[in-house]
Amino acid sequence: MKKNNDLFSKPKKVKNKNPNFKYIVLSFSLFIVILSAFSAFLFMRSLDFDLGNIIDRTNTEAPSDAPTNDEQTYSVSELSGKSVYLLMLTDDSSNADFGFIITADFDSKSMTVASFDANQKLSDGKTYRDIYDTEFISGLKSRLNADFDLSVDKYVICTASQFKRIIASLGGVTVNVAEDVNYKSSEFNVSLDKGTQKLSDEYAYKYLAIAEIQEKSRIMCDILASALTPENSEKSDDLFKIFVNNCKTDISVIDYSNSLEKLKIYSNAEDKFYPSVKG
């Protein structure tokens, strides 16, 4: 019987059926090394080949409270130049009664208030009320600019009731009553003692309405001085909302924001308001 020597024979070496396998492994390892070296090169290049820049970059990160790119920065404009405002007061039926040209001179930190009578006869026989009724505020601005060599920047139109609501939002205004007042008419009555006093919205408007044209300018100066105070500047945003909701105006929120710092210079500046008259 033939012996089976396979169990006792030395194991035979198995040849690799794929002789290129080791070359594939070596090539892949070499590729990884080259890729890592290239990545390291790019990283060092971004640091200008200086590892100390890693620390510099962490120190130059924006603080958490720094404004982002989506936030707009606001720079206060210089307190210089002039702004001219037209304030037109009408009755509650929107018939023009009287108006004011208010010139804010930011160089001298003064404000000039000039009044005009809407029923004043002009050289062509018209009145400012006629022009306002037919050509509206744009026509009135053009005529005032031509008559008095002005350049009105912004306008404000208030009815009697709207003006009173604005005064009421200020808690009344302090006005110097030049002399005793005892006025009676079919429309209203008003009695005031001479002297500086705080007037309610009702009395402030009545006193302004019955005053002579020159006196209107002086009274409006008192009203503006009483309105532009440090206390009111603290709540200016709320007051502006009341203002724009109780008048017709082309003063925008942006105009208000840009002028806010300028208007603050008139706080407690009673002697900076000067009355005059137009016409």
Side-chain angles (χ1 to χ4, degrees), residues 24 36 39 54 67 74 98 104 106 140 145 149 196 216 235 272:
I24 294 174
S36 300
S39 299
I54 297 177
Y74 170 71
F98 50 92
F106 301 110
L140 181 60
N145 286 341
D149 191 24
T196 300
K216 284 179 174 20
K235 52 182 179 180
K272 295 289 187 180

Side-chain angles (χ1 to χ4, degrees), residues 184-211:
K184 293 182 179 181
S185 72
S186 57
E187 296 180 356
F188 58 81
N189 301 334
V190 57
S191 295
L192 294 170
D193 294 330
K194 178 180 178 180
T196 300
Q197 54 199 284
K198 191 163 190 176
L199 300 181
S200 67
D201 55 300
E202 192 71 29
Y203 276 98
Y205 178 78
K206 287 179 179 179
Y207 183 46
L208 183 63
I210 65 174

Side-chain angles (χ1 to χ4, degrees), residues 36-95:
S36 300
F38 184 70
S39 299
F41 171 80
L42 291 179
F43 177 70
M44 291 299 296
R45 182 181 177 184
S46 69
L47 298 176
D48 291 331
F49 300 97
D50 185 357
L51 290 175
N53 287 335
I54 297 177
I55 300 174
D56 292 340
R57 285 192 176 186
T58 59
N59 289 336
T60 57
E61 288 181 1
S64 59
D65 58 348
T68 64
N69 291 334
D70 294 331
E71 295 174 343
Q72 294 182 351
T73 57
Y74 170 71
S75 59
V76 178
S77 57
E78 294 182 1
L79 300 180
S80 61
K82 290 183 180 181
S83 293
V84 182
Y85 304 93
L86 166 61
L87 170 59
M88 189 76 235
L89 294 181
T90 74
D91 61 23
D92 286 336
S93 298
S94 297
N95 297 309

